[in-house]
Amino acid sequence: MGRPREFDETNVLERAMQSFWARGYEATSLHDLLLVMGLSKSSFYETFGSKHELFLRSLEHYTATVVRDAGDVLKQEPSGRKAISYVFESILAEARGGGLQRGCMLGNSASELAPHDAEAADLVQKGLKRLDDAFRGAVQRGQKAGEISKKQDARALARFLHSNLIGLRLMAKAGVSQAALKDIMNVTLSTLDR
């Protein structure tokens, strides 16, 4: 019978996700992961199997936590327009705060791994669809309430908003000025006007 685990698996998975999100898959070494997770090599391999398996679990964890939280904002705010504005404004607030600009882990992974890693590509697609669906729900609520134009199909508009959100996060990661980020946000949100 094996020894019981002496660590909280969810906690170490969160730390691994943060590391991958900040650096990307290739730039995060096994040594980096062991340090941030506080695990020995044997515990790491016994629990997660490999760096690749840990990365895939980290992507799932990102969708289950970060994407879920953004989706909850889009679903729970009664005003679809306010919900969408809040999500965009949170990116600007994050950038103003001077914290680590990491972009979107799904977007980062889409460009780094998805072209040559089918498992990562599948998880990225699932995460993106989850947020697309949340945006669509907010757009539909806004259209029904008359606060968002009905000129565009709700699904198409949701996809447009989501892709612009990822682009805004990328621009913030690149260190673009607050003024430029605000311009991007304002033009994007203007597509909601009736």
Side-chain angles (χ1 to χ4, degrees):
M1 180 165 84
R3 289 179 21 183
R5 291 198 176 124
E6 298 175 4
F7 59 89
D8 178 343
E9 193 171 322
T10 302
N11 184 277
V12 296
L13 182 58
E14 172 71 22
R15 287 188 256 155
M17 179 198 78
Q18 294 292 336
S19 197
F20 284 128
W21 187 5
R23 295 187 186 124
Y25 179 77
E26 292 298 332
T28 304
S29 69
L30 178 58
H31 178 74
D32 296 332
L33 291 167
L34 294 176
L35 285 176
V36 77
M37 295 168 77
L39 297 179
S40 66
K41 274 189 183 181
S42 61
S43 291
F44 174 87
Y45 286 117
E46 182 180 308
T47 306
F48 299 105
S50 68
K51 176 183 164 183
H52 185 257
E53 287 300 313
L54 175 62
F55 180 77
L56 296 176
R57 287 194 51 196
S58 294
L59 271 178
E60 290 172 335
H61 184 67
Y62 180 85
T63 297
T65 56
V66 177
V67 172
R68 180 205 64 214
D69 290 348
D72 286 351
V73 168
L74 289 165
K75 291 175 187 171
Q76 293 171 1
E77 166 60 49
S79 165
R81 182 158 189 136
K82 283 183 184 175
I84 293 164
S85 293
Y86 177 79
V87 169
F88 276 86
E89 288 166 2
S90 70
I91 304 303
L92 268 65
E94 193 177 284
R96 262 192 316 274
L100 179 62
Q101 297 303 313
R102 302 172 288 187
C104 167
M105 188 173 176
L106 294 174
N108 298 345
S109 301
S111 62
E112 183 183 12
L113 289 174
H116 59 274
D117 184 328
E119 290 173 293
D122 183 56
L123 291 174
V124 166
Q125 288 297 321
K126 287 177 181 171
L128 292 174
K129 183 182 181 319
R130 187 171 178 169
L131 206 47
D132 275 351
D133 290 345
F135 266 113
R136 186 189 65 192
V139 168
Q140 288 172 329
R141 278 195 323 279
Q143 287 176 330
K144 187 175 180 181
E147 58 188 18
I148 294 177
S149 171
K150 293 181 180 178
K151 289 186 286 189
Q152 301 294 329
D153 172 72
R155 171 67 71 190
L157 187 52
R159 288 175 175 156
F160 172 79
L161 292 167
H162 186 193
S163 68
N164 277 277
L165 182 73
I166 291 172
L168 188 66
R169 289 196 80 131
L170 178 63
M171 299 294 273
K173 180 179 178 179
V176 170
S177 73
Q178 275 290 310
L181 294 175
K182 191 166 185 172
D183 286 345
I184 294 165
M185 179 189 76
N186 288 338
V187 171
T188 301
L189 295 178
S190 74
T191 63
L192 304 177
D193 294 339
R194 298 184 312 127

